[in-house]
Amino acid sequence: MEITKSCSNCGGVIFNLNQKPGEYEAVCSECGTIVANIKLEKYETVKKYCSNCNSARFKARVKRYKDTENWTVECAECKTQPEFKYVDSELNEIDEKTRENLILKDTITELNLRISELESELERLAYRVSAKDETFDILS
Ligand SMILES: [Zn+2]
Ligand SMILES: [Zn+2]
């Protein structure tokens, strides 16, 4: 079942869209409450203004699956769904190639972090092994 989403604070049904890298927030246009945080792909966000009529007023319909809500956002005036765009972490618009490079850089950073975690794990293991050897020396 699909329902029209309303603000949990004031019951308003018109939202403004607040851009964030990789997600966006639906903010109640009446009282400013952040009603939802909608996850997108990495370095993707939504355009704040309707690409058809330039309105910043959006409505949302929500379908519920168990614990998750599936949002459909559309312009309150002309029912066009907001367009997406790619942005860097400072919300500057970027092209697809730049986005790919950023994702690659993040992957490398994550891998390096994982490698240094493994290295310190190995050091801990090596220390435990050598500590055991010393115990044997004492006993023998
Ligand atoms: Zn509200
Ligand atoms: Zn519109």
Side-chain angles (χ1 to χ4, degrees):
M1 197 187 69
E2 221 174 25
I3 53 158
T4 300
K5 191 74 187 176
S6 59
C7 171
S8 50
N9 183 44
C10 76
V13 294
I14 304 292
F15 300 105
N16 299 128
L17 308 179
N18 192 18
Q19 300 173 325
K20 295 198 159 185
E23 60 187 7
Y24 68 97
E25 293 167 341
V27 182
C28 174
S29 70
E30 295 293 323
C31 73
T33 300
I34 297 168
V35 175
N37 193 300
I38 299 132
K39 297 279 169 217
L40 300 171
E41 299 293 316
K42 278 186 175 177
Y43 296 108
E44 192 180 49
T45 196
V46 80
K47 289 190 179 170
K48 281 174 117 157
Y49 300 101
C50 173
S51 57
N52 184 45
C53 74
N54 221 27
S55 167
R57 292 154 50 84
F58 292 87
K59 282 186 168 182
R61 282 177 286 123
V62 168
K63 252 187 205 164
R64 247 179 228 281
Y65 298 104
K66 292 178 185 161
D67 289 342
T68 59
E69 286 186 336
N70 197 353
W71 279 62
T72 308
V73 175
E74 59 188 26
C75 173
E77 328 296 339
C78 74
K79 300 209 181 307
T80 304
Q81 293 197 6
E83 280 182 20
F84 298 100
K85 64 175 188 177
Y86 296 136
V87 290
D88 64 16
S89 45
E90 268 91 50
L91 286 175
N92 302 307
E93 190 158 359
I94 53 174
D95 61 18
E96 208 176 330
K97 190 78 207 147
T98 312
R99 175 184 182 248
E100 278 171 18
N101 285 337
L102 284 173
I103 292 174
L104 199 66
K105 243 168 75 183
D106 285 352
T107 311
I108 291 169
T109 310
E110 278 163 29
L111 281 176
N112 279 335
L113 201 72
R114 186 78 192 111
I115 287 169
S116 60
E117 275 173 14
L118 285 172
E119 272 170 359
S120 56
E121 181 73 9
L122 271 176
E123 271 167 29
R124 262 202 306 278
L125 284 173
Y127 176 77
R128 267 161 60 186
V129 170
S130 69
K132 258 187 195 157
D133 286 348
E134 278 165 28
T135 330
F136 282 126
D137 286 346
I138 295 164
L139 290 175
S140 59

